[in-house]
């Protein structure tokens, strides 16, 4: 019998991490994602699987607790929304420098500053281009449904440990708050301490006589060595670009026009594709699922097929820059965005498509 | 005098009264000659060796002169961002409640940028040890004013002396956190004389022993010199420390476990 439940996006990812065998969650409340911490506390993770759930004194503390746990080989995570993620950038950069795996969730709200508690996609640059100091990337997953909020918990941890990298689920207030049905899978067991010692020989689990001491540090004052560390990091990011791209094509096969959108905006565009097709416009949707690595090749391929692309985002135009880089001038690329916590409507999006490319 | 003993004649097993703990690595210490950090490292590592805790212990290094502590301590270690060591240690300890976890932090690290993390780790009663080396200055960055710099004390960023009217007062973190129910053992020691070293050793031992009781955080402040930052010889700096630092930061136990 399938285990199907009606859940909020934020609850779904909380349930997802428990079932993915997460060892520890450290977080600080902020709308629109407080349900994650609330759900974990209410379900009593300590009793259920032995998973630690701790409310920290700040997002800064949260991310450094995650650093400590990850450095000791545990599956750890934190979640927040935009202002809190800004505070975490120091710790994320340190985790990038030490190549520590973790899962991070940003349920994006509008900014800058305290902004609004309504959904937005205005943290794309911060998530995809680095965010903190130094040359680094995280894997960024963009869920477009409550099911994906759930699924990306497990996928996120898998990718994080496969590549020793931070994985951010870049969601938004709409996906976090809406309710949909979710199919749950079986509980994965948490790794035992002995398994961690075997699986992650780099982790600080206590120095035993059979190995040299393990050190988690991002410091090397020797510039020659530091350059090598950085070159190796870049190699890893390149490898991820070559192997981990994920996207969804919706009605793309015969498309003459293309929406490019992720997360909530992709849901809006999915409806807009139906509306457009009913009006005789051959429009499709490319939905990037990984924002880093970005589906560059797929966009470039579609650029040879369509007459124009329209990036739809709840931002003033962030992801569109990656679309333009991939298209490289082959076809016109336009952008339409709503700001401040407003979701665009499907007919608004179709209107923009017509205005930019069809009724010219 | 007929014969001056050679080095080889002196260093024979029957003359051995003391040897360096095997848990200090062979790497040359990066500290200035005369600095207290080296002695503090030694006491912690000796204790870990004597208590047989090497395989059990995870240390957290700060940002400060002791940023490279992991080069000298032969145990698993994590290097934390400036001030965040207590949060990092919390993450480790919560996930490995049976391991021994400690942080090693300077006064800028612990009492300025990391005040929040320190206070809250203490307040949650994390079962970790914090070793706090208070030298009243930012040693690593070249001798700037620290939260613990004494009134009137000259540093690179208080060249006319710390003016409390505009720069505030030296922060007594140790007295502050001793008030929190989450701390179990709080003491202030020094490492500038053999007697002080012996007392600090006892304090370090207690901090590790008590951690096994799971009764809260153990906090050992070590008032220390920064001869380079204070622009003194090691001897002058120790004398200055006794005359100026100890009156403001009096040595002794501040909170002892209730019997
Ligand atoms: C976020 C951040 N801010 C500033 C610094 C620069 N910095 C490095 S060490 C230090 C002060 C260290 O002083 P203290 O903790 O007293 O250690 P000491 O060197 O005196 O032992 C500062 C300000 C840094 N590394 N990171
Ligand atoms: S600068 Fe000061 S604290 Fe740092 S090693 Fe030298 S004497 Fe010690
Ligand atoms: Mg100092």
């Amino acid at each position: 019998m399938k285990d199907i439940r009606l859940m909020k996006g934020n609850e779904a990812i909380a349930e997802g991490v428990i079932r993915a065998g997460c060892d520890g969650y450290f977080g600080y409340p902020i709308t629109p994602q407080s349900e994650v911490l609330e759900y974990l506390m209410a379900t009593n993770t300590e009793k259920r699987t032995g998973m630690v759930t701790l409310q920290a004194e700040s997002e800064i503390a949260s991310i450094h607790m995650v650093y400590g746990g990850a450095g000791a080989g545990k599956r750890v995570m934190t979640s927040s929304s935009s202002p809190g993620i800004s505070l975490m950038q120091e710790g994320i950069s340190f985790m990038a420098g030490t190549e520590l795996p973790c899962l991070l969730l940003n349920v994006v709200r509008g900014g800058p500053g305290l902004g609004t508690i309504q959904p937005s996609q205005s943290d794309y640059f911060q998530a995809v281009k680095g965010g903190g100091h130094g040359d680094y990337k995280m894997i960024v997953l963009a869920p477009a449904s409550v099911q994906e909020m759930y699924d990306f918990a497990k996928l996120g941890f898998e990718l994080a440990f496969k590549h020793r990298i931070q994985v951010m689920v870049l969601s938004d207030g709409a996906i976090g708050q809406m309710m949909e049905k979710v199919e749950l899978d079986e509980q994965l067991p948490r790794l035992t301490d002995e398994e961690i010692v075997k699986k992650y020989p780099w982790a600080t689990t206590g120095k035993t006589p059979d190995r040299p001491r393990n050190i988690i540090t991002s410091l090397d004052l020797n510039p020659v060595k530091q350059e090598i560390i950085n070159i190796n990091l870049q190699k890893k990011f390149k490898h991820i670009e070559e192997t981990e791209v994920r996207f969804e094509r919706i009605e793309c096969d015969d498309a003459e026009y293309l929406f490019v959108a992720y997360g909530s905006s992709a849901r809006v565009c999915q409806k807009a594709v139906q509306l457009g097709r009913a009006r005789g416009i051959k429009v499709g949707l490319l939905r990037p699922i990984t924002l880093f690595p970005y589906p560059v090749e797929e966009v470039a391929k579609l650029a040879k097929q369509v007459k124009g692309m329209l990036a739809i985002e709840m931002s003033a135009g962030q992801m569109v820059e990656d679309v333009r880089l991939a298209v490289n001038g082959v076809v016109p690329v336009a952008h339409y965005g709503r700001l401040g916590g407003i979701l665009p409507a499907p007919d608004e999006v179709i209107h923009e498509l017509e205005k930019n490319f069809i009724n010219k | 005098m007929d014969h001056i003993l050679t080095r080889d004649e002196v260093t024979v097993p029957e003359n051995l009264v003391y040897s360096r703990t095997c848990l200090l690595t062979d790497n040359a210490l990066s500290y200035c000659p005369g600095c207290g950090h080296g002695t503090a490292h030694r006491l912690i590592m000796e204790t870990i060796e004597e208590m047989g805790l090497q395989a059990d212990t995870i240390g957290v290094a700060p940002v400060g002169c002791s940023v490279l502590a992991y080069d000298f301590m032969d145990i698993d270690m994590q290097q934390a961002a400036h001030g965040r060591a207590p949060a990092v240690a919390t993450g480790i300890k919560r996930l490995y409640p049976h391991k021994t976890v400690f942080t090693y932090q300077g006064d800028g690290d612990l009492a300025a940028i990391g005040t929040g993390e320190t206070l809250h780790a203490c307040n949650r009663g994390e079962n970790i040890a914090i070793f706090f080396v208070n030298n009243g200055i930012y040693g690593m960055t070249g001798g700037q004013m620290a939260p613990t710099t004494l009134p009137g004390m000259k540093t690179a960023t208080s060249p006319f002396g710390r003016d409390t009217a505009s720069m505030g007062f030296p922060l007594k973190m140790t007295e502050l956190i001793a008030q929190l129910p989450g701390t179990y053992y709080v003491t202030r020691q020094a490492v500038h004389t053999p007697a002080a070293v012996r007392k600090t050793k006892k304090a370090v031992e207690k901090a590790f022993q008590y951690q096994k009781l799971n009764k809260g955080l153990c906090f050992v402040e070590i008032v220390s010199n920064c001869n380079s930052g204070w622009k003194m010889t090691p001897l002058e700096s120790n004398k200055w420390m006794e005359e100026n630092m100890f009156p403001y930061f009096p040595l002794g136990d501040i909170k002892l476990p209730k019997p």
Side-chain angles (χ1 to χ4, degrees):
Chain A
M1 251 264 293
K2 280 183 183 169
D3 188 353
I4 294 175
R5 297 194 203 162
L6 186 66
M7 297 181 107
K8 268 190 178 188
N10 289 334
E11 294 168 350
I13 195 164
E15 182 63 31
V17 297
I18 299 171
R19 290 189 186 222
C22 181
D23 297 306
Y25 171 97
F26 305 91
Y28 187 83
I30 182 171
T31 308
Q33 66 77 51
S34 296
E35 294 86 357
V36 179
L37 175 57
E38 288 168 6
Y39 185 94
L40 293 172
M41 285 293 188
T43 194
N44 196 344
T45 57
E46 203 105 26
K47 214 165 147 197
R48 200 169 133 187
T49 64
M51 170 183 166
V52 168
T53 304
L54 180 65
Q55 178 168 340
E57 68 271 26
S58 71
E59 289 86 351
I60 298 178
S62 308
I63 191 69
H64 291 283
M65 290 172 185
V66 168
Y67 178 101
K74 296 280 182 174
R75 291 184 162 221
V76 282
M77 71 166 302
T78 183
S79 67
S80 188
S81 178
S82 312
I85 299 289
S86 290
L87 273 180
M88 290 184 191
Q89 293 304 323
E90 173 192 60
I92 296 173
S93 169
F94 271 68
M95 295 192 81
T98 47
E99 299 188 78
L100 293 185
C102 71
L103 184 68
L104 310 167
L105 166 67
N106 184 358
V107 183
V108 181
R109 54 190 257 179
L114 212 43
T116 169
I117 57 169
Q118 306 299 329
S120 175
Q121 295 180 315
S122 48
D123 295 353
Y124 179 92
F125 283 153
Q126 187 196 51
V128 169
K129 306 294 176 188
H133 61 284
D135 269 326
Y136 75 91
K137 295 281 170 66
M138 303 184 284
I139 292 178
V140 181
L141 300 172
S145 63
V146 173
Q147 182 70 51
E148 281 188 336
M149 284 288 266
Y150 173 83
D151 293 340
F152 289 177
K154 190 160 127 200
L155 175 64
F157 276 126
E158 275 167 19
L159 293 173
F161 278 88
K162 180 171 167 196
H163 299 286
R164 272 190 72 175
I165 196 168
Q166 311 72 55
V167 174
M168 176 173 278
V169 175
L170 190 70
S171 183
D172 62 62
I175 304 283
Q177 292 295 324
M178 73 187 187
M179 294 187 89
E180 288 182 323
K181 73 174 187 346
V182 195
E183 192 181 327
L184 307 178
D185 41 21
E186 269 162 30
Q187 173 72 48
L188 289 178
R190 289 178 47 239
L191 293 184
T192 63
D193 291 356
E194 292 72 32
E195 285 169 329
I196 287 173
V197 170
K198 282 217 187 80
K199 263 187 111 148
Y200 310 124
W202 47 265
T204 58
T205 47
K207 187 207 166 307
T208 41
D210 56 328
R211 65 158 171 84
R213 68 190 185 283
N214 283 338
I215 298 167
I216 302 294
T217 182
S218 53
L219 176 74
D220 203 314
L221 295 170
N222 177 338
V224 178
K225 284 195 193 155
Q226 188 57 255
E227 186 176 43
I228 293 168
I229 292 170
N230 268 278
I231 289 170
N232 287 336
L233 271 183
Q234 294 304 317
K235 278 190 197 148
K236 177 166 84 176
F237 302 142
K238 183 99 186 47
H239 174 68
I240 289 169
E241 284 181 302
E242 285 161 4
T243 55
E244 299 295 358
V245 172
R246 286 170 168 78
F247 55 84
E248 184 186 11
R249 288 164 53 108
I250 295 170
E251 308 261 8
C252 284
D253 289 353
D254 66 341
E256 292 176 358
Y257 301 97
L258 189 72
F259 291 126
V260 187
Y262 69 94
S264 287
S265 293
R267 293 292 289 268
V268 172
C269 289
Q270 213 173 333
K271 185 74 193 165
V273 166
Q274 289 171 8
L275 286 179
R277 294 239 164 206
R279 287 191 211 171
I281 307 169
K282 285 189 175 167
V283 59
L285 164 66
L286 178 71
R287 176 172 80 90
I289 293 173
T290 50
L291 299 178
F292 179 84
Y294 199 74
V296 175
E297 272 175 37
E298 192 60 22
V299 173
K301 206 167 85 190
L302 285 162
K304 293 192 196 129
Q305 172 192 324
V306 301
K307 296 177 190 161
M309 292 190 191
L310 179 59
I312 304 294
E313 292 174 81
M314 292 188 284
S315 82
Q318 300 193 13
M319 181 196 67
V320 67
E321 291 194 1
D322 284 333
V323 179
R324 290 204 170 105
L325 280 171
V327 166
N328 202 13
V330 172
V331 283
V333 175
H335 169 264
Y336 180 67
R338 293 299 303 266
L339 310 174
I342 295 176
L343 268 152
D347 53 353
E348 210 178 326
V349 167
I350 284 293
H351 173 76
E352 282 299 315
L353 183 74
E354 289 173 329
K355 191 179 88 185
N356 276 284
F357 298 116
I358 301 168
N359 304 337
K360 268 194 130 168
Chain B
M1 201 182 293
D2 33 276
H3 175 60
I4 295 173
L5 290 175
T6 65
R7 184 194 156 95
D8 285 345
E9 285 166 330
V10 174
T11 53
V12 288
E14 55 267 34
N15 285 347
L16 186 70
V17 287
Y18 174 80
S19 69
R20 185 170 56 117
T21 164
C22 64
L23 294 194
L24 281 175
T25 65
D26 288 334
N27 296 328
L29 288 177
S30 52
Y31 303 110
C32 307
C35 171
H37 270 304
T39 314
H41 280 25
R42 194 249 290 172
L43 295 179
I44 294 168
M45 288 300 107
E46 266 178 15
T47 307
I48 292 175
E49 187 199 350
E50 286 157 15
M51 291 175 69
L53 292 174
Q54 184 188 30
D56 196 47
T57 303
I58 299 147
V60 183
V63 174
C65 278
S66 45
V67 65
L68 289 173
Y70 55 76
D71 269 355
F72 316 124
M73 300 181 171
D74 192 19
I75 50 168
D76 279 3
M77 288 197 79
Q78 297 193 22
Q79 199 286 310
H82 197 17
R84 317 298 178 215
V88 172
T90 298
I92 302 169
K93 184 72 185 191
R94 290 288 179 130
L95 294 163
Y96 289 94
H98 304 299
K99 301 263 177 195
T100 301
V101 178
F102 73 89
T103 72
Y104 183 102
Q105 303 175 256
D107 43 306
D109 195 84
L110 180 140
I113 195 165
T115 314
E117 286 76 14
T118 305
L119 216 65
H120 283 280
C122 290
N123 195 46
R124 281 191 304 267
E126 298 296 341
N127 289 303
I128 59 172
I130 292 182
F131 300 110
F132 167 37
V133 176
N134 175 9
N135 55 16
I137 203 157
Y138 286 4
M140 186 192 208
T141 38
Q144 295 85 4
M145 184 177 71
T148 45
T149 295
L150 296 180
M153 186 171 160
K154 286 186 181 154
T155 70
T157 50
S158 59
F160 308 109
R162 182 177 190 156
D163 168 22
T164 53
S166 65
M167 298 168 176
F169 296 85
L171 190 52
K172 295 186 179 181
M173 271 304 270
T174 308
E175 278 82 354
L176 207 68
I177 60 101
Q179 296 171 35
L180 304 173
T183 52
Y184 186 65
Y185 169 59
V186 180
T187 188
R188 181 185 284 125
Q189 302 295 338
V191 289
H192 66 308
T193 62
V197 166
R198 276 194 291 275
K199 280 192 190 162
T200 303
K201 177 78 185 287
K202 287 259 164 349
V204 172
E205 283 168 4
K206 280 186 197 158
F208 282 127
Q209 279 158 5
Y210 292 151
Q211 185 166 149
K212 295 288 167 208
L213 305 177
N214 287 329
K215 292 209 166 154
L217 194 141
C218 294
F219 193 98
V220 180
E221 174 178 343
I222 299 169
V223 181
S224 185
N225 61 340
C226 172
N227 38 292
S228 292
W230 298 354
K231 302 197 187 337
M232 296 175 196
T233 65
L235 273 179
E236 280 166 8
S237 70
N238 281 337
K239 187 157 180 281
W240 190 89
M241 179 168 72
E242 282 178 347
E243 287 167 3
N244 298 278
M245 294 282 279
F246 294 172
Y248 201 95
F249 299 109
L251 305 189
D253 292 330
I254 298 174
K255 184 179 195 173
L256 287 173
K258 291 195 189 74

